[in-house]
């Protein structure tokens, strides 16, 4: 079995590579084999048998708990550490004590600090917006900090009372409106965590010839956490990418010292030179702007909670989370896990109606990450052809004109036929 390795900042992939996968709970048992079948066929058709994925199942979630008595076995973590690249279906979040979220646990244990969510529209897919073709964005969501760090204490507990005492008596905080009934959470945002995320976003924009990186934040209110994210992002762009980027901080400096005409000229020259424009926007304004003028945005760099909201809104604009792929990546170690972005959907599990496109498109991202771009493009083109002909699973077909509603296996077969 061949293993991907990481050396000198580059991922090295053998022609026959082992990929650990988690089947997933609920609909995972349907979307995982369907996606694997399409991926395998695309690789075979593209490379004529010279390249191949050997799938290695590892356990997590309800299936793992039923077999091993634990939700996330150490053997699974070791497999992802060893083989670097993996893919997973949706996982049940345990109720009660233990792991807060299996998805968050995987991201934090492997320090997968980038959650990358590309969002684009496929012709034929119904959208709630007038011009979905203008939506073409790449969301870089910080994956390890912010409120997802899980630092919080429930109201009435000794820990919450101790924290309240510290706030009031050590820090002089008098703004807790209802102190005796409050729960508390801590929102850590670091310079290191912010800058490695923004660096990954800028490098992605450079590599893929994308025009801009937008820092999305609520720094107008959370001045030292989200405001810090914005400031540290600009600082990184100006120090590590000087000459390659042009930031709106530079624009404002020129405007204040030389006037608006000179600033506009400098911005126009930067665009003509192909420099990446670094800008920022308040999160709530961004959510409005993406509905009104989505074409103004390309690569998005944002914090964990903002990224959660943003990813789902943008996915809805192009047809829904059922066709939204995602990946969790550490660009410094080479570890990456690609995943379905939706939940386990137990109400439709086993009915042969679930849409496998989220996991399939995450597989496309994985192939691209492996350097097998031709196979990735083949699947994406086939999926586009399938949607354009109004063939889709029921979640999408019900909104298409003259559509043909397909079951999961029939959709799999149609995409394979269209390869």
């Amino acid at each position: 079995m061949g293993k991907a390795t990481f050396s000198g900042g580059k991922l090295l992939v053998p022609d026959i590579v082992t990929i650990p996968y988690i089947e997933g709970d609920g609909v995972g048992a349907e979307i995982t084999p369907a996606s694997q079948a399409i991926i395998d066929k695309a690789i075979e058709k593209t490379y004529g048998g010279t390249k191949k994925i050997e799938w290695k199942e590892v356990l997590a979630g309800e299936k793992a708990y039923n077999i091993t008595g634990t939700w996330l076995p150490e053997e699974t973590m070791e497999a992802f550490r060893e083989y670097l690249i993996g893919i997973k279906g949706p996982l049940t979040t345990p109720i009660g004590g233990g792991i807060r979220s299996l998805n968050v646990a995987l991201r934090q244990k492997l320090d997968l600090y980038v959650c990358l969510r590309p969002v684009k529209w496929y012709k034929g897919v119904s959208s709630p917006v007038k011009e979905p073709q203008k939506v073409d964005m790449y969301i870089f969501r910080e994956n390890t900090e912010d409120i997802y760090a899980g630092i919080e204490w429930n109201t009435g507990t000794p820990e919450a009372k101790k924290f309240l005492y510290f706030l009031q008596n050590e820090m002089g905080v008098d703004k807790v409106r209802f102190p005796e009934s409050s729960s508390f959470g801590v929102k850590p945002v670091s310079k290191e965590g912010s800058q490695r995320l923004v660096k990954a976003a800028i490098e992605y924009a450079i590599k893929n010839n994308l025009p801009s990186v937008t820092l999305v934040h609520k720094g107008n209110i959370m001045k030292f956490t989200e405001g810090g994210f914005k400031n540290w992002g600009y600082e990184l762009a100006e120090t590590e990418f000087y000459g390659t980027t042009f930031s709106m901080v530079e624009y404002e400096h020129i405007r204040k010292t030389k006037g608006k005409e000179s600033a506009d000229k400098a911005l126009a020259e930067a665009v003509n030179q192909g420099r990446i424009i670094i800008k920022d926007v308040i999160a709530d304004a961004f959510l409005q702007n993406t509905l009104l003028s989505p074409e103004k945005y390309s690569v998005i760099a944002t914090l964990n909670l903002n990224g959660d909201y943003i990813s789902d809104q943008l996915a809805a604009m192009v047809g829904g989370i059922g066709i939204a792929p995602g990946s969790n990546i550490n660009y410094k170690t080479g570890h990456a896990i690609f995943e379905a972005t939706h939940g386990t959907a137990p109400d439709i599990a086993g009915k042969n109606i679930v849409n496998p496109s989220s996991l399939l498109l995450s597989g496309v991202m994985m192939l691209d990450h492996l350097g097998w771009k031709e196979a990735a493009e083949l699947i994406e083109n086939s999926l586009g052809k399938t949607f354009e002909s109004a063939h889709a699973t029921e979640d999408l077909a019900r909104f298409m004109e003259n559509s043909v509603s397909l079951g999961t296996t029939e959709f799999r077969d149609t995409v394979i036929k269209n390869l």
Side-chain angles (χ1 to χ4, degrees):
M1 294 190 292
K3 299 176 185 176
T5 57
F6 193 72
S7 178
K10 293 184 178 180
L11 186 67
L12 307 175
V13 182
D15 287 339
I16 299 178
V17 62
T18 300
I19 301 294
Y21 74 94
I22 298 170
E23 180 183 74
D25 299 323
V27 295
E30 296 166 272
I31 64 173
T32 294
S35 299
Q36 289 173 336
I38 296 168
I39 292 169
D40 288 342
K41 197 67 177 178
I43 293 171
E44 178 188 337
K45 189 174 180 67
T46 303
Y47 305 113
T50 61
K51 294 183 185 294
K52 182 181 178 182
I53 289 177
E54 292 185 339
W55 301 101
K56 175 183 174 65
E57 184 174 11
V58 293
L59 300 176
E62 191 172 12
K63 186 173 183 179
Y65 186 78
N66 291 338
I67 294 173
T68 70
T70 181
W71 293 93
L72 185 57
E74 183 56 32
E75 292 83 358
T76 297
M77 296 306 306
E78 282 303 316
F80 286 134
R81 291 189 187 102
E82 180 180 356
Y83 292 96
L84 296 184
I85 309 300
I87 190 166
K88 57 175 282 297
L91 293 175
T92 299
T93 297
I95 297 173
I99 296 174
R100 180 182 297 262
S101 164
L102 291 169
N103 293 323
V104 172
L106 283 166
R107 295 166 189 170
Q108 292 185 345
K109 285 177 179 289
L110 293 171
D111 196 24
L112 304 174
Y113 60 88
V114 169
C115 179
L116 173 56
R117 294 274 296 270
V119 183
K120 63 177 286 187
W121 178 69
Y122 290 90
K123 190 173 182 180
V125 176
S126 180
S127 165
V129 298
K130 289 183 178 179
E131 298 179 293
Q133 72 276 9
K134 291 183 177 181
V135 181
D136 188 7
M137 299 183 214
Y138 303 84
I139 305 154
F140 278 70
R141 169 190 175 190
E142 202 290 318
N143 227 1
T144 64
E145 298 190 315
D146 201 357
I147 64 168
Y148 280 78
I151 307 170
E152 60 176 353
W153 302 279
N154 195 15
T155 178
T157 62
E159 293 82 5
K161 293 177 180 178
K162 185 176 182 179
F163 188 72
L164 174 62
Y165 180 89
F166 171 75
L167 288 178
Q168 292 177 329
N169 295 280
E170 299 291 332
M171 302 299 292
V173 173
D174 59 3
K175 295 181 180 179
V176 182
R177 183 63 57 88
F178 302 106
E180 298 307 319
S181 63
S182 291
S183 295
F184 298 97
V186 175
K187 176 187 175 78
V189 177
S190 70
K191 181 176 182 179
E192 292 85 351
S194 299
Q195 290 193 333
R196 67 180 183 172
L197 183 281
V198 174
K199 181 178 181 180
I202 294 175
E203 288 177 341
Y204 189 90
I206 294 169
K207 180 181 178 181
N208 294 281
N209 297 312
L210 299 170
S212 66
V213 174
T214 303
L215 310 175
V216 181
H217 61 91
K218 278 294 290 182
N220 57 328
I221 302 299
M222 292 170 275
K223 299 184 183 299
F224 304 124
T225 50
E226 305 227 355
F229 175 85
K230 179 196 77 169
N231 294 336
W232 294 324
Y234 274 128
E235 178 186 303
L236 175 104
E238 292 166 6
T239 54
E240 293 199 27
F241 295 94
Y242 182 78
T244 304
T245 63
F246 181 87
S247 78
M248 297 312 291
V249 171
E250 295 177 69
Y251 176 90
E252 284 300 317
H253 176 73
I254 297 170
R255 186 184 66 81
K256 290 178 181 178
T257 56
K258 298 181 180 179
K260 186 177 185 301
E261 186 176 344
S262 294
D264 288 342
K265 183 180 179 181
L267 177 59
E269 288 177 353
V271 172
N272 290 334
Q273 293 167 359
R275 293 164 69 181
I276 309 297
I277 306 304
I278 311 297
K279 52 189 176 179
D280 77 278
V281 64
I282 302 298
D284 47 326
F286 175 79
L287 292 171
Q288 174 182 254
N289 294 347
T290 53
L291 290 169
L292 299 174
S293 50
E295 69 278 6
K296 292 183 179 180
Y297 301 103
S298 179
V299 178
I300 310 304
T302 190
L303 297 101
N304 211 329
L305 182 60
N306 294 336
D308 200 356
Y309 299 148
I310 289 167
S311 297
D312 283 6
Q313 176 184 295
L314 294 180
M317 290 168 63
V318 297
I321 201 168
I323 53 172
S327 60
N328 304 282
I329 304 171
N330 184 319
Y331 286 98
K332 296 181 178 180
T333 66
H335 290 94
I337 297 179
F338 300 81
E339 65 181 355
T341 58
H342 55 73
T344 58
D347 57 319
I348 62 171
K351 297 182 180 180
N352 193 40
I353 60 175
V354 63
N355 184 353
S357 297
S358 174
L359 187 61
L360 177 60
L361 285 168
S362 297
V364 168
M365 292 180 70
M366 182 183 74
L367 290 172
D368 188 69
H369 189 75
L370 292 172
W372 298 3
K373 298 180 184 298
E374 301 87 355
E377 290 176 3
L378 186 63
I379 295 172
E380 205 169 11
N381 291 338
S382 175
L383 201 57
K385 182 179 179 181
T386 303
F387 289 144
E388 191 171 356
S389 67
H391 287 68
T393 47
E394 178 61 21
D395 60 315
L396 299 180
R398 58 184 170 165
F399 300 115
M400 294 175 168
E401 292 185 10
N402 303 314
S403 66
V404 177
S405 181
L406 302 174
T408 308
T409 54
E410 291 76 22
F411 181 78
R412 173 202 65 197
D413 294 343
T414 303
V415 174
I416 290 175
K417 181 182 177 180
N418 287 334
L419 287 171

